[in-house]
Amino acid sequence: MGSTGNAAAESTGSTAVGRTGGRELAVLRARLLAHPGFAPELLALAAVEGIGPGAREWARGLREAYPDAGPDGLARLATRRFVRWAGVGGGTAAAAGLFAPVAELAAVLWTQSALVLHLAAAYGRDPAHPDRAVELLVLTQVHPDADSARSALDAARAADGPGDGPWPRAAEAAWRLAAPLAAQAGGWAALRLAARLLPGAAVVAAALGDVAATDRLAVRTVAAYRPGRALG
């Protein structure tokens, strides 16, 4: 695939995902604050529903335009785009004040979710299938295996009713969103940094705007989605 084709494919895909992300994140933020104990699970479900169809069309369109492009080529294209986005994703969140950490952490994880779903599409898996939410939670290290991820998703779907006051809910949602990113970025050291910085928006720039972590996620995802591999 030539450089002109790469640029066109990235531009088309970026515009579509950006529009979807803005709409979905606005709705998702309210759900995260209402049910902070299921923050990563709610984000995974929303990503599959909101990003999955676009990722499927992205892969279909590229295969039609470039019939010689294999899965690894599509995966490289997706990885390059979303790893770059991960470096600036937190800073693009429009929210401020009390709920800024929730908005920015959700934006970073939304970018990582888009990466995983586009890689799934590159390797022939339906990115809009409910199983992708399970895989998202395993690949981003929220849950250690598919069974625990599936149980958590069932509980998130069944969640009902508001939580406590706005600040306790915002803090809990930010903490649960920070935990998987911290695990990717280096474990407890990053998580302690996130805890120290909350409720400041600098939590993303200082600890979670980690391009290297997203790059490692891409490597993990490609290894899982290549033919002959399955997530446990």
Side-chain angles (χ1 to χ4, degrees), residues 14 24 35 58 67 80 84 130 230 232:
S14 299
E24 295 292 333
H35 306 289
W58 168 85
R80 182 166 61 246
R84 185 174 66 246

Side-chain angles (χ1 to χ4, degrees), residues 93-189:
L98 181 62
F99 302 121
V102 175
E104 297 193 16
L105 291 166
V108 174
L109 279 170
W110 191 259
T111 298
Q112 292 198 345
S113 298
L115 167 64
V116 171
L117 293 173
H118 280 71
L119 290 176
Y123 286 100
R125 302 200 186 197
D126 182 1
H129 191 280
D131 283 350
R132 300 296 86 80
V134 175
E135 295 160 5
L136 264 173
L137 293 174
V138 175
L139 287 165
T140 55
Q141 301 179 336
V142 177
H143 291 283
D145 54 54
D147 287 341
S148 61
R150 195 170 288 108
S151 295
L153 287 167
D154 288 343
R157 291 186 184 99
D160 191 19
D164 298 324
W167 169 240
R169 282 185 280 136
E172 187 181 351
W175 180 266
R176 279 225 71 205
L177 289 169
L181 288 166
Q184 296 171 46
W188 284 108

Side-chain angles (χ1 to χ4, degrees), residues 36-57:
F38 296 112
E41 291 80 14
L42 291 172
L43 188 144
L45 291 169
V48 170
E49 180 179 350
I51 300 174
R56 182 171 54 207
E57 291 305 304

